[in-house]
């Protein structure tokens, strides 16, 4: 995510080598899910989504991206988590 720290929005950039189901969620510091940014099948290529945190308080948040794709007869899962800091 860039910028980080941010106020009030940050952009999440990601690339996919093939079509996959993508879920991107935001969690607060104690692990509560506060926002789902995306939850859909995404085509291969480079993508970006923006999180506008105008209605949220300053603090540390976590963004988690889960990618699930089928390769032959197997499912592969990729999970990445990043810490974000909202500064108002």
């Amino acid at each position: 995510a860039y910028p980080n720290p941010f106020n009030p929005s940050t952009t999440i950039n990601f690339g996919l080598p093939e079509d996959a189901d993508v879920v991107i969620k935001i969690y607060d510091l104690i692990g509560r899910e506060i926002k789902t940014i995306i939850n859909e099948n995404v085509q291969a290529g480079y993508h970006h989504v923006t999180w506008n945190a105008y209605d949220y308080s300053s603090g540390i948040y976590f963004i988690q991206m889960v990618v699930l794709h089928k390769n032959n007869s197997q499912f592969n899962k990729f999970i990445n988590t990043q810490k974000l800091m909202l500064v108002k």
Side-chain angles (χ1 to χ4, degrees):
Y2 182 82
N4 187 19
F6 69 100
N7 178 22
S9 64
T10 187
T11 301
I12 300 101
N13 297 302
F14 63 97
L16 299 172
E18 56 190 47
D19 295 359
D21 293 326
V22 177
V23 178
I24 298 176
K25 294 183 178 185
I26 307 291
Y27 297 88
D28 66 11
L29 192 56
I30 60 173
R32 290 181 297 195
E33 179 185 326
I34 61 165
K35 177 85 174 164
T36 298
I37 304 291
I38 189 170
N39 183 6
E40 61 188 45
N41 188 274
V42 179
Q43 293 182 346
Y46 291 100
H47 305 275
H48 66 275
V49 291
T50 300
W51 178 41
N52 186 338
Y54 179 80
D55 293 332
Y56 297 93
S57 59
S58 295
I60 299 198
Y61 295 89
F62 295 94
I63 183 166
Q64 183 179 66
M65 181 171 94
V66 178
V67 178
L68 182 66
H69 63 92
K70 189 173 183 179
N71 187 3
N72 297 326
S73 62
Q74 294 183 342
F75 283 98
N76 294 318
K77 187 181 222 181
F78 170 81
I79 301 173
N80 187 24
T81 304
Q82 181 180 357
K83 181 170 66 170
L84 300 172
M85 187 172 2
L86 172 59
V87 180
K88 291 190 174 183

